[in-house]
Amino acid sequence: MSEKQARFYESVQQNFDKAAVHTSHPKGLLDQIKACNAIYKMNFPVKIGKGYEVIEAYRVQHSHHRLPTKGGIRFSHLVNQEEVMALATLMTYKCAIVDVPFGGAKGGVCVSPRKYSEEQLEKITRRYTVELVRKNFIGPGTDVPAPDYGTGPREMAWILDTYQQMNQGEIDSAACVTGKPVNQNGIRGRTEATGRGVYYATREFCNLEKEMSALKLSTGIEGKTMVIQGLGNVGSYTGLISINEGGAKVVAVSEIEGTIHNPDGIDIKKLLKYRKTKKSILGFPGTKTLKERKDWVKIPCDILVPAALESQIHKGNAKSVKAKIIVEAANGPITAAAEAILLKKGVVILPDMYANAGGVTVSYFEWLKNLSHMRFGRMEKRFDSNTYSNFVNLIERLTAKTISKRERDILTKGADEVDLVRSGLEDTMVNSFHQIREVYNRKKKINDYRTAAFVLAVDKIASDYMSLGVFP
Ligand code: NAD
């Protein structure tokens, strides 16, 4: 195991131990919560070009205290067993924090998507799904994958189709995977969900007057400078929504090809278009390219958003961080050793298991939608709209005044699926933030949000185990 791989899984376990001392649960129960319940490692052949390649892949179910288990599938040449175990473990705590009734799981396929054609990726994804079906590691009530690094709606559609071919007539089969395209039983608002959740998490913290004044910052996201590492699904939506809805200023973006900087702000929408045509963020008008890509951590800013991979902020670079707040959009971007340095410097860290939980929250909504076989809002949208119209008509009649068509449209709108998804996501992120804050404020010896989030999660999972009668 390389130092980097070990750092991630060990960091997660060290963070658990650090939090466990603030709970009063018996050792046996804590050991059960910590352990990975099932690990499936597979090697399967796929015909690539004229020959065969043996693909290494994993699915880890961290906790069966609630079923189904849930967690994304990662496609990356860096995938290894410890990484998937760490990610599955985080999923359990994440689900508990946002009150999503699942155990945690994660999948990983050791391939670099850039190296394969679409057709080859489809073959790999379908074969991986066959392996999962054969070992009962996928199913609406068993284990429900979703997108992660290197995968998206396209891969989820292939998984769904393969599962359905092997489970003909299973009425709830659409719920075997989430993050599907909307026309393949997906849900509106899932693609942006993780980034949107990161925005809500950041906004909630930035609205705290005492904490912001301790950091010598004004309250609110408006005008705050932000640096983002990784302009994929999570990083791009975090940037877009923080600019459009919060008024933040993204001053630097770091990607595989390098890091660009503009203290006056970077238009993320235009940058995404630019990257699509140029296949690189470098040379984007108005920006300067840093000599070293890795210097993204050194750029002065209010909010640093690592949204790429784990262990990006480590013992070696933590001291150079200039940001006052780090929001962990990626899973495990800060090693335990780096965290100790950052906390000493007074940096506030909003932990992954809360900050990026928007994806699993909306995946839960998608799963519920699939099981109910109906789009959210279908029954009530028109009824609500008619009721609001009657109110507006009455007010106009009583006041003898007429409102504009625009105002009428806003006041009489019934909620669409995407409105309900966003509202459910916002409510979840706000509630969970205040649950973590409550632990942080109540337990005087806890002085970081990760430990508070861990304690919250462990208490909820312990209570589940005890109500199952497993640990009376
Ligand atoms: P993605 O594949 O869409 O994007 C990741 C981006 O990071 C890519 O553009 C890649 O080029 C870039 N990148 C990789 N290494 C880099 C480096 N060293 N420096 C700069 N950029 C680099 O993946 P994603 O879905 O956005 O996931 C990103 C992170 O967020 C992962 O840690 C993932 O586990 C986590 N996450 C994702 C979701 C989700 O819904 N997709 C949910 C929760 C957490």
PDB file of all heavy atoms in Angstrom, residues 74 87 94 106 114 147-151 190 194 229-235 254-256 275 293 307-310 312 329-331 356 359, ligand 1:
ATOM      1  N   ARG A  74     -16.577   4.721  -8.638  1.00  0.00           N
ATOM      2  CA  ARG A  74     -15.464   5.545  -9.115  1.00  0.00           C
ATOM      3  C   ARG A  74     -14.717   4.813 -10.227  1.00  0.00           C
ATOM      4  O   ARG A  74     -14.434   3.625 -10.090  1.00  0.00           O
ATOM      5  CB  ARG A  74     -14.531   5.825  -7.933  1.00  0.00           C
ATOM      6  CG  ARG A  74     -13.290   6.574  -8.294  1.00  0.00           C
ATOM      7  CD  ARG A  74     -12.535   6.986  -7.053  1.00  0.00           C
ATOM      8  NE  ARG A  74     -13.228   8.071  -6.338  1.00  0.00           N
ATOM      9  CZ  ARG A  74     -12.660   8.833  -5.432  1.00  0.00           C
ATOM     10  NH1 ARG A  74     -11.404   8.638  -5.111  1.00  0.00           N
ATOM     11  NH2 ARG A  74     -13.343   9.796  -4.825  1.00  0.00           N
ATOM     12  N   LEU A  87     -13.904   5.244   1.249  1.00  0.00           N
ATOM     13  CA  LEU A  87     -15.052   5.956   0.674  1.00  0.00           C
ATOM     14  C   LEU A  87     -16.373   5.344   1.145  1.00  0.00           C
ATOM     15  O   LEU A  87     -17.340   6.058   1.440  1.00  0.00           O
ATOM     16  CB  LEU A  87     -14.959   5.940  -0.856  1.00  0.00           C
ATOM     17  CG  LEU A  87     -13.823   6.784  -1.458  1.00  0.00           C
ATOM     18  CD1 LEU A  87     -13.553   6.405  -2.906  1.00  0.00           C
ATOM     19  CD2 LEU A  87     -14.144   8.277  -1.359  1.00  0.00           C
ATOM     20  N   LYS A  94     -22.006   9.751   6.332  1.00  0.00           N
ATOM     21  CA  LYS A  94     -22.675  10.791   5.542  1.00  0.00           C
ATOM     22  C   LYS A  94     -24.192  10.577   5.559  1.00  0.00           C
ATOM     23  O   LYS A  94     -24.966  11.501   5.806  1.00  0.00           O
ATOM     24  CB  LYS A  94     -22.155  10.695   4.102  1.00  0.00           C
ATOM     25  CG  LYS A  94     -22.326  11.918   3.278  1.00  0.00           C
ATOM     26  CD  LYS A  94     -21.736  11.725   1.887  1.00  0.00           C
ATOM     27  CE  LYS A  94     -20.240  11.567   1.868  1.00  0.00           C
ATOM     28  NZ  LYS A  94     -19.686  11.536   0.513  1.00  0.00           N
ATOM     29  N   LYS A 106     -19.436   1.679  -1.504  1.00  0.00           N
ATOM     30  CA  LYS A 106     -18.742   2.368  -2.592  1.00  0.00           C
ATOM     31  C   LYS A 106     -18.212   1.335  -3.571  1.00  0.00           C
ATOM     32  O   LYS A 106     -17.911   0.203  -3.183  1.00  0.00           O
ATOM     33  CB  LYS A 106     -17.560   3.175  -2.034  1.00  0.00           C
ATOM     34  CG  LYS A 106     -17.147   4.322  -2.911  1.00  0.00           C
ATOM     35  CD  LYS A 106     -18.062   5.523  -2.719  1.00  0.00           C
ATOM     36  CE  LYS A 106     -17.677   6.695  -3.562  1.00  0.00           C
ATOM     37  NZ  LYS A 106     -18.430   7.900  -3.154  1.00  0.00           N
ATOM     38  N   ARG A 114     -10.210   8.169 -19.590  1.00  0.00           N
ATOM     39  CA  ARG A 114      -9.656   8.866 -20.767  1.00  0.00           C
ATOM     40  C   ARG A 114      -8.987   7.902 -21.739  1.00  0.00           C
ATOM     41  O   ARG A 114      -8.813   8.211 -22.906  1.00  0.00           O
ATOM     42  CB  ARG A 114      -8.573   9.849 -20.331  1.00  0.00           C
ATOM     43  CG  ARG A 114      -9.105  11.086 -19.667  1.00  0.00           C
ATOM     44  CD  ARG A 114      -7.962  11.752 -18.887  1.00  0.00           C
ATOM     45  NE  ARG A 114      -8.495  12.493 -17.748  1.00  0.00           N
ATOM     46  CZ  ARG A 114      -8.495  13.800 -17.668  1.00  0.00           C
ATOM     47  NH1 ARG A 114      -7.984  14.521 -18.608  1.00  0.00           N
ATOM     48  NH2 ARG A 114      -9.011  14.410 -16.618  1.00  0.00           N
ATOM     49  N   PRO A 147     -23.263   7.883  -9.252  1.00  0.00           N
ATOM     50  CA  PRO A 147     -22.016   8.381  -9.856  1.00  0.00           C
ATOM     51  C   PRO A 147     -20.994   8.821  -8.804  1.00  0.00           C
ATOM     52  O   PRO A 147     -21.359   9.182  -7.690  1.00  0.00           O
ATOM     53  CB  PRO A 147     -22.466   9.602 -10.672  1.00  0.00           C
ATOM     54  CG  PRO A 147     -23.940   9.558 -10.714  1.00  0.00           C
ATOM     55  CD  PRO A 147     -24.402   8.786  -9.527  1.00  0.00           C
ATOM     56  N   ASP A 148     -19.737   8.763  -9.160  1.00  0.00           N
ATOM     57  CA  ASP A 148     -18.659   9.359  -8.366  1.00  0.00           C
ATOM     58  C   ASP A 148     -17.600   9.812  -9.375  1.00  0.00           C
ATOM     59  O   ASP A 148     -17.880   9.896 -10.591  1.00  0.00           O
ATOM     60  CB  ASP A 148     -18.096   8.349  -7.349  1.00  0.00           C
ATOM     61  CG  ASP A 148     -17.129   9.016  -6.369  1.00  0.00           C
ATOM     62  OD1 ASP A 148     -17.574   9.860  -5.576  1.00  0.00           O
ATOM     63  OD2 ASP A 148     -15.916   8.733  -6.409  1.00  0.00           O
ATOM     64  N   TYR A 149     -16.418  10.056  -8.903  1.00  0.00           N
ATOM     65  CA  TYR A 149     -15.301  10.502  -9.746  1.00  0.00           C
ATOM     66  C   TYR A 149     -15.190   9.603 -10.981  1.00  0.00           C
ATOM     67  O   TYR A 149     -15.107   8.382 -10.870  1.00  0.00           O
ATOM     68  CB  TYR A 149     -14.018  10.422  -8.921  1.00  0.00           C
ATOM     69  CG  TYR A 149     -12.805  10.963  -9.611  1.00  0.00           C
ATOM     70  CD1 TYR A 149     -12.408  12.278  -9.436  1.00  0.00           C
ATOM     71  CD2 TYR A 149     -12.052  10.152 -10.442  1.00  0.00           C
ATOM     72  CE1 TYR A 149     -11.274  12.774 -10.064  1.00  0.00           C
ATOM     73  CE2 TYR A 149     -10.923  10.631 -11.082  1.00  0.00           C
ATOM     74  CZ  TYR A 149     -10.548  11.954 -10.883  1.00  0.00           C
ATOM     75  OH  TYR A 149      -9.439  12.442 -11.515  1.00  0.00           O
ATOM     76  N   GLY A 150     -15.228  10.212 -12.166  1.00  0.00           N
ATOM     77  CA  GLY A 150     -15.026   9.461 -13.405  1.00  0.00           C
ATOM     78  C   GLY A 150     -16.266   8.776 -13.965  1.00  0.00           C
ATOM     79  O   GLY A 150     -16.190   8.122 -15.008  1.00  0.00           O
ATOM     80  N   THR A 151     -17.397   8.911 -13.288  1.00  0.00           N
ATOM     81  CA  THR A 151     -18.647   8.337 -13.824  1.00  0.00           C
ATOM     82  C   THR A 151     -19.756   9.387 -13.756  1.00  0.00           C
ATOM     83  O   THR A 151     -19.648  10.365 -13.035  1.00  0.00           O
ATOM     84  CB  THR A 151     -19.114   7.088 -13.042  1.00  0.00           C
ATOM     85  OG1 THR A 151     -19.357   7.472 -11.684  1.00  0.00           O
ATOM     86  CG2 THR A 151     -18.098   5.969 -13.087  1.00  0.00           C
ATOM     87  N   ARG A 190     -30.425  16.159  -9.859  1.00  0.00           N
ATOM     88  CA  ARG A 190     -29.402  15.254  -9.287  1.00  0.00           C
ATOM     89  C   ARG A 190     -27.999  15.645  -9.733  1.00  0.00           C
ATOM     90  O   ARG A 190     -27.065  15.613  -8.939  1.00  0.00           O
ATOM     91  CB  ARG A 190     -29.694  13.785  -9.667  1.00  0.00           C
ATOM     92  CG  ARG A 190     -28.579  12.790  -9.288  1.00  0.00           C
ATOM     93  CD  ARG A 190     -28.332  12.758  -7.789  1.00  0.00           C
ATOM     94  NE  ARG A 190     -27.231  11.882  -7.380  1.00  0.00           N
ATOM     95  CZ  ARG A 190     -25.954  12.252  -7.243  1.00  0.00           C
ATOM     96  NH1 ARG A 190     -25.578  13.496  -7.525  1.00  0.00           N
ATOM     97  NH2 ARG A 190     -25.053  11.394  -6.828  1.00  0.00           N
ATOM     98  N   THR A 194     -24.658  17.663  -5.639  1.00  0.00           N
ATOM     99  CA  THR A 194     -23.530  17.696  -4.699  1.00  0.00           C
ATOM    100  C   THR A 194     -22.973  19.121  -4.609  1.00  0.00           C
ATOM    101  O   THR A 194     -22.762  19.646  -3.511  1.00  0.00           O
ATOM    102  CB  THR A 194     -22.443  16.680  -5.107  1.00  0.00           C
ATOM    103  OG1 THR A 194     -23.083  15.414  -5.280  1.00  0.00           O
ATOM    104  CG2 THR A 194     -21.376  16.552  -4.056  1.00  0.00           C
ATOM    105  N   GLN A 229     -10.330  23.398  -6.586  1.00  0.00           N
ATOM    106  CA  GLN A 229      -9.486  22.375  -7.224  1.00  0.00           C
ATOM    107  C   GLN A 229     -10.403  21.301  -7.808  1.00  0.00           C
ATOM    108  O   GLN A 229     -11.172  20.667  -7.085  1.00  0.00           O
ATOM    109  CB  GLN A 229      -8.546  21.701  -6.214  1.00  0.00           C
ATOM    110  CG  GLN A 229      -7.587  20.729  -6.912  1.00  0.00           C
ATOM    111  CD  GLN A 229      -7.056  19.626  -6.006  1.00  0.00           C
ATOM    112  OE1 GLN A 229      -7.733  19.193  -5.083  1.00  0.00           O
ATOM    113  NE2 GLN A 229      -5.843  19.167  -6.270  1.00  0.00           N
ATOM    114  N   GLY A 230     -10.345  21.108  -9.139  1.00  0.00           N
ATOM    115  CA  GLY A 230     -11.176  20.091  -9.792  1.00  0.00           C
ATOM    116  C   GLY A 230     -12.435  20.717 -10.357  1.00  0.00           C
ATOM    117  O   GLY A 230     -13.301  21.146  -9.607  1.00  0.00           O
ATOM    118  N   LEU A 231     -12.499  20.811 -11.688  1.00  0.00           N
ATOM    119  CA  LEU A 231     -13.666  21.442 -12.319  1.00  0.00           C
ATOM    120  C   LEU A 231     -14.538  20.351 -12.972  1.00  0.00           C
ATOM    121  O   LEU A 231     -14.940  20.453 -14.121  1.00  0.00           O
ATOM    122  CB  LEU A 231     -13.204  22.468 -13.358  1.00  0.00           C
ATOM    123  CG  LEU A 231     -14.227  23.518 -13.767  1.00  0.00           C
ATOM    124  CD1 LEU A 231     -14.611  24.400 -12.598  1.00  0.00           C
ATOM    125  CD2 LEU A 231     -13.692  24.386 -14.914  1.00  0.00           C
ATOM    126  N   GLY A 232     -14.793  19.285 -12.215  1.00  0.00           N
ATOM    127  CA  GLY A 232     -15.672  18.224 -12.697  1.00  0.00           C
ATOM    128  C   GLY A 232     -17.088  18.502 -12.249  1.00  0.00           C
ATOM    129  O   GLY A 232     -17.487  19.658 -12.076  1.00  0.00           O
ATOM    130  N   ASN A 233     -17.844  17.450 -12.020  1.00  0.00           N
ATOM    131  CA  ASN A 233     -19.247  17.628 -11.630  1.00  0.00           C
ATOM    132  C   ASN A 233     -19.367  18.498 -10.380  1.00  0.00           C
ATOM    133  O   ASN A 233     -20.043  19.528 -10.380  1.00  0.00           O
ATOM    134  CB  ASN A 233     -19.882  16.243 -11.409  1.00  0.00           C
ATOM    135  CG  ASN A 233     -21.264  16.342 -10.812  1.00  0.00           C
ATOM    136  OD1 ASN A 233     -21.411  16.583  -9.624  1.00  0.00           O
ATOM    137  ND2 ASN A 233     -22.274  16.211 -11.635  1.00  0.00           N
ATOM    138  N   VAL A 234     -18.696  18.109  -9.306  1.00  0.00           N
ATOM    139  CA  VAL A 234     -18.890  18.791  -8.018  1.00  0.00           C
ATOM    140  C   VAL A 234     -18.286  20.200  -8.034  1.00  0.00           C
ATOM    141  O   VAL A 234     -18.936  21.178  -7.650  1.00  0.00           O
ATOM    142  CB  VAL A 234     -18.294  17.946  -6.868  1.00  0.00           C
ATOM    143  CG1 VAL A 234     -18.497  18.644  -5.535  1.00  0.00           C
ATOM    144  CG2 VAL A 234     -18.905  16.546  -6.846  1.00  0.00           C
ATOM    145  N   GLY A 235     -17.053  20.316  -8.517  1.00  0.00           N
ATOM    146  CA  GLY A 235     -16.368  21.611  -8.514  1.00  0.00           C
ATOM    147  C   GLY A 235     -17.070  22.634  -9.388  1.00  0.00           C
ATOM    148  O   GLY A 235     -17.216  23.801  -8.996  1.00  0.00           O
ATOM    149  N   SER A 254      -7.983  25.022 -10.280  1.00  0.00           N
ATOM    150  CA  SER A 254      -6.886  24.097 -10.549  1.00  0.00           C
ATOM    151  C   SER A 254      -7.455  22.841 -11.195  1.00  0.00           C
ATOM    152  O   SER A 254      -8.457  22.299 -10.717  1.00  0.00           O
ATOM    153  CB  SER A 254      -6.180  23.742  -9.234  1.00  0.00           C
ATOM    154  OG  SER A 254      -5.090  22.892  -9.503  1.00  0.00           O
ATOM    155  N   GLU A 255      -6.845  22.434 -12.289  1.00  0.00           N
ATOM    156  CA  GLU A 255      -7.263  21.199 -12.972  1.00  0.00           C
ATOM    157  C   GLU A 255      -6.028  20.372 -13.290  1.00  0.00           C
ATOM    158  O   GLU A 255      -4.909  20.812 -13.045  1.00  0.00           O
ATOM    159  CB  GLU A 255      -8.064  21.531 -14.254  1.00  0.00           C
ATOM    160  CG  GLU A 255      -9.562  21.201 -14.177  1.00  0.00           C
ATOM    161  CD  GLU A 255      -9.861  19.725 -13.948  1.00  0.00           C
ATOM    162  OE1 GLU A 255      -9.020  18.893 -14.296  1.00  0.00           O
ATOM    163  OE2 GLU A 255     -10.931  19.392 -13.418  1.00  0.00           O
ATOM    164  N   ILE A 256      -6.234  19.197 -13.863  1.00  0.00           N
ATOM    165  CA  ILE A 256      -5.134  18.302 -14.219  1.00  0.00           C
ATOM    166  C   ILE A 256      -4.058  19.046 -15.022  1.00  0.00           C
ATOM    167  O   ILE A 256      -2.863  18.879 -14.798  1.00  0.00           O
ATOM    168  CB  ILE A 256      -5.699  17.130 -15.076  1.00  0.00           C
ATOM    169  CG1 ILE A 256      -6.485  16.167 -14.193  1.00  0.00           C
ATOM    170  CG2 ILE A 256      -4.639  16.431 -15.879  1.00  0.00           C
ATOM    171  CD1 ILE A 256      -5.627  15.178 -13.445  1.00  0.00           C
ATOM    172  N   ARG A 275     -13.159  25.201 -21.829  1.00  0.00           N
ATOM    173  CA  ARG A 275     -12.477  23.914 -21.618  1.00  0.00           C
ATOM    174  C   ARG A 275     -13.016  22.838 -22.570  1.00  0.00           C
ATOM    175  O   ARG A 275     -12.295  21.955 -23.002  1.00  0.00           O
ATOM    176  CB  ARG A 275     -12.653  23.463 -20.167  1.00  0.00           C
ATOM    177  CG  ARG A 275     -11.757  22.279 -19.847  1.00  0.00           C
ATOM    178  CD  ARG A 275     -11.835  21.860 -18.403  1.00  0.00           C
ATOM    179  NE  ARG A 275     -10.748  20.931 -18.095  1.00  0.00           N
ATOM    180  CZ  ARG A 275     -10.903  19.823 -17.397  1.00  0.00           C
ATOM    181  NH1 ARG A 275     -12.073  19.503 -16.919  1.00  0.00           N
ATOM    182  NH2 ARG A 275      -9.874  19.036 -17.169  1.00  0.00           N
ATOM    183  N   ARG A 293       1.308  23.647 -10.832  1.00  0.00           N
ATOM    184  CA  ARG A 293      -0.120  23.345 -10.598  1.00  0.00           C
ATOM    185  C   ARG A 293      -0.419  23.230  -9.110  1.00  0.00           C
ATOM    186  O   ARG A 293      -1.434  23.702  -8.613  1.00  0.00           O
ATOM    187  CB  ARG A 293      -0.467  22.036 -11.307  1.00  0.00           C
ATOM    188  CG  ARG A 293      -1.890  21.595 -11.049  1.00  0.00           C
ATOM    189  CD  ARG A 293      -2.196  20.243 -11.656  1.00  0.00           C
ATOM    190  NE  ARG A 293      -1.682  19.145 -10.849  1.00  0.00           N
ATOM    191  CZ  ARG A 293      -1.750  17.878 -11.197  1.00  0.00           C
ATOM    192  NH1 ARG A 293      -2.285  17.538 -12.353  1.00  0.00           N
ATOM    193  NH2 ARG A 293      -1.283  16.934 -10.402  1.00  0.00           N
ATOM    194  N   ALA A 307     -12.104  19.837  -4.753  1.00  0.00           N
ATOM    195  CA  ALA A 307     -13.224  19.068  -5.344  1.00  0.00           C
ATOM    196  C   ALA A 307     -12.691  18.058  -6.350  1.00  0.00           C
ATOM    197  O   ALA A 307     -13.309  17.819  -7.392  1.00  0.00           O
ATOM    198  CB  ALA A 307     -14.229  20.023  -6.003  1.00  0.00           C
ATOM    199  N   ALA A 308     -11.517  17.475  -6.046  1.00  0.00           N
ATOM    200  CA  ALA A 308     -10.947  16.491  -6.981  1.00  0.00           C
ATOM    201  C   ALA A 308     -10.829  15.127  -6.304  1.00  0.00           C
ATOM    202  O   ALA A 308     -11.740  14.306  -6.401  1.00  0.00           O
ATOM    203  CB  ALA A 308      -9.604  16.982  -7.496  1.00  0.00           C
ATOM    204  N   LEU A 309      -9.722  14.919  -5.610  1.00  0.00           N
ATOM    205  CA  LEU A 309      -9.481  13.589  -5.022  1.00  0.00           C
ATOM    206  C   LEU A 309      -9.011  13.719  -3.575  1.00  0.00           C
ATOM    207  O   LEU A 309      -8.808  14.818  -3.071  1.00  0.00           O
ATOM    208  CB  LEU A 309      -8.436  12.853  -5.853  1.00  0.00           C
ATOM    209  CG  LEU A 309      -8.940  12.264  -7.178  1.00  0.00           C
ATOM    210  CD1 LEU A 309      -7.771  11.734  -7.987  1.00  0.00           C
ATOM    211  CD2 LEU A 309      -9.970  11.148  -6.956  1.00  0.00           C
ATOM    212  N   GLU A 310      -8.773  12.574  -2.943  1.00  0.00           N
ATOM    213  CA  GLU A 310      -8.356  12.560  -1.545  1.00  0.00           C
ATOM    214  C   GLU A 310      -6.880  12.958  -1.370  1.00  0.00           C
ATOM    215  O   GLU A 310      -6.115  12.953  -2.328  1.00  0.00           O
ATOM    216  CB  GLU A 310      -8.575  11.171  -0.922  1.00  0.00           C
ATOM    217  CG  GLU A 310      -7.869  10.037  -1.617  1.00  0.00           C
ATOM    218  CD  GLU A 310      -8.721   9.408  -2.706  1.00  0.00           C
ATOM    219  OE1 GLU A 310      -9.730  10.008  -3.107  1.00  0.00           O
ATOM    220  OE2 GLU A 310      -8.352   8.320  -3.167  1.00  0.00           O
ATOM    221  N   GLN A 312      -5.196  15.615  -0.921  1.00  0.00           N
ATOM    222  CA  GLN A 312      -4.610  16.712  -1.695  1.00  0.00           C
ATOM    223  C   GLN A 312      -3.949  17.743  -0.781  1.00  0.00           C
ATOM    224  O   GLN A 312      -3.009  18.423  -1.163  1.00  0.00           O
ATOM    225  CB  GLN A 312      -5.678  17.404  -2.552  1.00  0.00           C
ATOM    226  CG  GLN A 312      -6.280  16.502  -3.603  1.00  0.00           C
ATOM    227  CD  GLN A 312      -5.230  16.005  -4.580  1.00  0.00           C
ATOM    228  OE1 GLN A 312      -4.557  16.788  -5.228  1.00  0.00           O
ATOM    229  NE2 GLN A 312      -5.068  14.698  -4.665  1.00  0.00           N
ATOM    230  N   ALA A 329     -15.416  19.541  -0.636  1.00  0.00           N
ATOM    231  CA  ALA A 329     -16.351  19.056  -1.655  1.00  0.00           C
ATOM    232  C   ALA A 329     -15.963  17.640  -2.062  1.00  0.00           C
ATOM    233  O   ALA A 329     -16.819  16.791  -2.319  1.00  0.00           O
ATOM    234  CB  ALA A 329     -16.313  19.990  -2.853  1.00  0.00           C
ATOM    235  N   ALA A 330     -14.667  17.357  -2.125  1.00  0.00           N
ATOM    236  CA  ALA A 330     -14.197  16.000  -2.424  1.00  0.00           C
ATOM    237  C   ALA A 330     -14.258  15.164  -1.153  1.00  0.00           C
ATOM    238  O   ALA A 330     -14.435  15.691  -0.053  1.00  0.00           O
ATOM    239  CB  ALA A 330     -12.764  16.050  -2.939  1.00  0.00           C
ATOM    240  N   ASN A 331     -14.100  13.860  -1.296  1.00  0.00           N
ATOM    241  CA  ASN A 331     -14.019  12.978  -0.138  1.00  0.00           C
ATOM    242  C   ASN A 331     -12.573  12.866   0.307  1.00  0.00           C
ATOM    243  O   ASN A 331     -11.687  12.582  -0.511  1.00  0.00           O
ATOM    244  CB  ASN A 331     -14.556  11.590  -0.503  1.00  0.00           C
ATOM    245  CG  ASN A 331     -16.070  11.577  -0.559  1.00  0.00           C
ATOM    246  OD1 ASN A 331     -16.742  11.986   0.391  1.00  0.00           O
ATOM    247  ND2 ASN A 331     -16.619  11.127  -1.682  1.00  0.00           N
ATOM    248  N   ASN A 356     -20.394  17.373   1.296  1.00  0.00           N
ATOM    249  CA  ASN A 356     -20.744  16.847  -0.029  1.00  0.00           C
ATOM    250  C   ASN A 356     -21.886  15.835   0.011  1.00  0.00           C
ATOM    251  O   ASN A 356     -22.043  15.031  -0.911  1.00  0.00           O
ATOM    252  CB  ASN A 356     -19.499  16.316  -0.759  1.00  0.00           C
ATOM    253  CG  ASN A 356     -18.943  15.033  -0.149  1.00  0.00           C
ATOM    254  OD1 ASN A 356     -19.674  14.213   0.376  1.00  0.00           O
ATOM    255  ND2 ASN A 356     -17.636  14.851  -0.232  1.00  0.00           N
ATOM    256  N   GLY A 359     -25.324  15.009  -2.811  1.00  0.00           N
ATOM    257  CA  GLY A 359     -25.507  13.994  -3.850  1.00  0.00           C
ATOM    258  C   GLY A 359     -26.316  12.818  -3.338  1.00  0.00           C
ATOM    259  O   GLY A 359     -27.301  12.399  -3.959  1.00  0.00           O
TER     260      GLY A 359
HETATM  261  P1  NAD B   1     -15.395  14.311 -11.757  1.00  0.00           P
HETATM  262  O1  NAD B   1     -14.722  13.162 -12.380  1.00  0.00           O
HETATM  263  O2  NAD B   1     -16.640  14.823 -12.377  1.00  0.00           O
HETATM  264  O3  NAD B   1     -14.402  15.559 -11.611  1.00  0.00           O
HETATM  265  C1  NAD B   1     -13.174  15.550 -10.940  1.00  0.00           C
HETATM  266  C2  NAD B   1     -12.262  16.578 -11.600  1.00  0.00           C
HETATM  267  O4  NAD B   1     -11.055  16.681 -10.849  1.00  0.00           O
HETATM  268  C3  NAD B   1     -11.876  16.203 -13.029  1.00  0.00           C
HETATM  269  O5  NAD B   1     -12.176  17.272 -13.900  1.00  0.00           O
HETATM  270  C4  NAD B   1     -10.375  15.923 -12.929  1.00  0.00           C
HETATM  271  O6  NAD B   1      -9.683  16.270 -14.113  1.00  0.00           O
HETATM  272  C5  NAD B   1      -9.975  16.818 -11.759  1.00  0.00           C
HETATM  273  N1  NAD B   1      -8.729  16.409 -11.105  1.00  0.00           N
HETATM  274  C6  NAD B   1      -8.282  15.177 -10.833  1.00  0.00           C
HETATM  275  N2  NAD B   1      -7.088  15.222 -10.215  1.00  0.00           N
HETATM  276  C7  NAD B   1      -6.752  16.530 -10.098  1.00  0.00           C
HETATM  277  C8  NAD B   1      -5.645  17.228  -9.554  1.00  0.00           C
HETATM  278  N3  NAD B   1      -4.620  16.586  -8.996  1.00  0.00           N
HETATM  279  N4  NAD B   1      -5.654  18.582  -9.605  1.00  0.00           N
HETATM  280  C9  NAD B   1      -6.686  19.252 -10.152  1.00  0.00           C
HETATM  281  N5  NAD B   1      -7.772  18.633 -10.686  1.00  0.00           N
HETATM  282  C10 NAD B   1      -7.810  17.294 -10.672  1.00  0.00           C
HETATM  283  O7  NAD B   1     -15.630  13.857 -10.242  1.00  0.00           O
HETATM  284  P2  NAD B   1     -16.715  14.425  -9.229  1.00  0.00           P
HETATM  285  O8  NAD B   1     -17.928  13.575  -9.326  1.00  0.00           O
HETATM  286  O9  NAD B   1     -16.822  15.897  -9.368  1.00  0.00           O
HETATM  287  O10 NAD B   1     -16.013  14.045  -7.836  1.00  0.00           O
HETATM  288  C11 NAD B   1     -15.012  14.865  -7.256  1.00  0.00           C
HETATM  289  C12 NAD B   1     -14.914  14.538  -5.782  1.00  0.00           C
HETATM  290  O11 NAD B   1     -16.188  14.735  -5.156  1.00  0.00           O
HETATM  291  C13 NAD B   1     -14.513  13.088  -5.454  1.00  0.00           C
HETATM  292  O12 NAD B   1     -13.758  13.072  -4.272  1.00  0.00           O
HETATM  293  C14 NAD B   1     -15.844  12.419  -5.196  1.00  0.00           C
HETATM  294  O13 NAD B   1     -15.736  11.269  -4.382  1.00  0.00           O
HETATM  295  C15 NAD B   1     -16.580  13.539  -4.480  1.00  0.00           C
HETATM  296  N6  NAD B   1     -18.048  13.414  -4.518  1.00  0.00           N
HETATM  297  C16 NAD B   1     -18.728  13.319  -5.688  1.00  0.00           C
HETATM  298  C17 NAD B   1     -20.117  13.216  -5.654  1.00  0.00           C
HETATM  299  C18 NAD B   1     -20.942  13.199  -6.921  1.00  0.00           C
HETATM  300  O14 NAD B   1     -22.186  13.271  -6.803  1.00  0.00           O
HETATM  301  N7  NAD B   1     -20.357  13.124  -8.098  1.00  0.00           N
HETATM  302  C19 NAD B   1     -20.790  13.168  -4.428  1.00  0.00           C
HETATM  303  C20 NAD B   1     -20.062  13.279  -3.252  1.00  0.00           C
HETATM  304  C21 NAD B   1     -18.687  13.404  -3.299  1.00  0.00           C
END
